[in-house]
Amino acid sequence: MDQQQAHRNGRFFAASDAGSAAYQEGASRVDVLFATDNGVAAVSALVLIPFLARRVGSARTHIVGLACGAAGFASIFLVPNYR
């Protein structure tokens, strides 16, 4: 079964059993994804946001942050639902 067919059947990494090795591999991959997400957020909070606030002001920086959050929420509609 190919990966896309597995997604349509509600199976991730071609595994329907939570105890299988393929399912555990997929669960381990989530750790890397969350760590990357937290790393990007930390770098942007410590480096990018203060730099942007000095350049364009805190109000505009806040507007940019709100726009990025809105774009993130709107992108949910672009993700296909395989169920």
Side-chain angles (χ1 to χ4, degrees):
M1 168 183 330
D2 68 342
Q3 194 71 19
Q4 194 168 16
Q5 181 66 31
H7 280 284
R8 281 192 207 111
N9 292 336
R11 297 179 180 153
F12 299 99
F13 283 83
S16 60
D17 179 28
S20 69
Y23 188 92
Q24 294 302 319
E25 180 186 347
S28 296
R29 193 173 177 101
V30 170
D31 293 340
V32 174
L33 296 173
F34 281 157
T36 303
D37 180 44
N38 287 333
V40 169
V43 168
S44 68
L46 296 173
V47 177
L48 183 63
I49 292 176
F51 172 76
L52 190 60
R54 281 193 301 272
R55 294 277 291 187
V56 299
S58 59
R60 287 188 180 149
T61 302
H62 188 74
I63 291 170
V64 168
L66 290 175
C68 289
F73 281 128
S75 71
I76 291 173
F77 295 111
L78 302 176
V79 177
N81 185 3
Y82 290 108
R83 290 189 182 230

